[in-house]
Amino acid sequence: MPAEGRTNGGSDRRQPVGRGVGKQVVLPWSKAIEISLNSLRIRFWRSLITTGGIILAVAFLMAILTKSAVVSAVKAVSDPRAAIAVQKAGEEAEEERASGAGKWLAVLGLLVALVGITNAQLMSVTERFREIGTMKCLGALDSFVVRLFLLESAFQGVAGAAAGVATGYCLISIKLWLDYAAVWSAADFRYPWPEVGASAAFCLAVGLGISVLAAIYPAYVAAKMEPVVAMR
């Protein structure tokens, strides 16, 4: 009998040719979504704090865009009974165009939210060493680990952006209603619903985008973690 098929004890220890060390498991998207939602539920309060940064940043952006659209609509009113409100709207539009401070503050708020989400996700990676290590030891692919973190951040981004859009729109609408009360009854006033709707969609996309962008590096760190090190 050939030597490679026998050992000192005479038993056959031959291994199948081409067999790997272990089998990696490809889990479906539904499982990744389930695990991500469960992780957010377990870490609800921390997730809420992280989402709060998105809410504030998106609310401020939504307020600026809504105000700009409404002020432009008010300026187009020709009813003489609303002349004072139209003049005020024109002055505010010119002042905002000259300073541009609001837009810069909105960008700064989004950057702060981006950094906050990244920091929270990195902390989450540190806390979940054993969980990540267990999944990888059981055969989870690096891509699955990345998918988990990106999904968690995306869920936070969608929820935070939606809440921010609603909050920003409601608060600025109250202020605009009080500032331009004389305009609402004007015959030729048309509320800029298309512009406001486009602003809401833009804010939702921005909130989702910064959330996913902020999670890319933490997801990469988690995916490249050595299972043995994580389990130690």
Side-chain angles (χ1 to χ4, degrees), residues 57-58 60-62 64 100-112:
V58 172
F60 189 63
L61 179 62
M62 182 63 186
I64 291 175
K103 294 180 180 179
W104 282 110
L105 288 175
V107 172
L108 181 61
L110 292 173
L111 290 176
V112 171

Side-chain angles (χ1 to χ4, degrees), residues 36 40 50 54 113-125 128 142-143 145-157 207-223:
S36 298
L40 291 175
T50 304
I54 305 174
L114 178 71
V115 174
I117 297 170
T118 303
N119 181 61
Q121 289 286 10
L122 286 173
M123 292 175 63
S124 179
V125 171
R128 297 164 67 181
D142 290 353
S143 59
V145 178
V146 172
R147 191 185 307 168
L148 286 180
F149 280 87
L150 293 183
L151 281 173
E152 288 181 23
S153 191
F155 289 144
Q156 289 179 325
L208 176 60
I210 63 173
S211 299
V212 174
L213 183 63
I216 291 177
Y217 177 68
Y220 174 81
V221 172

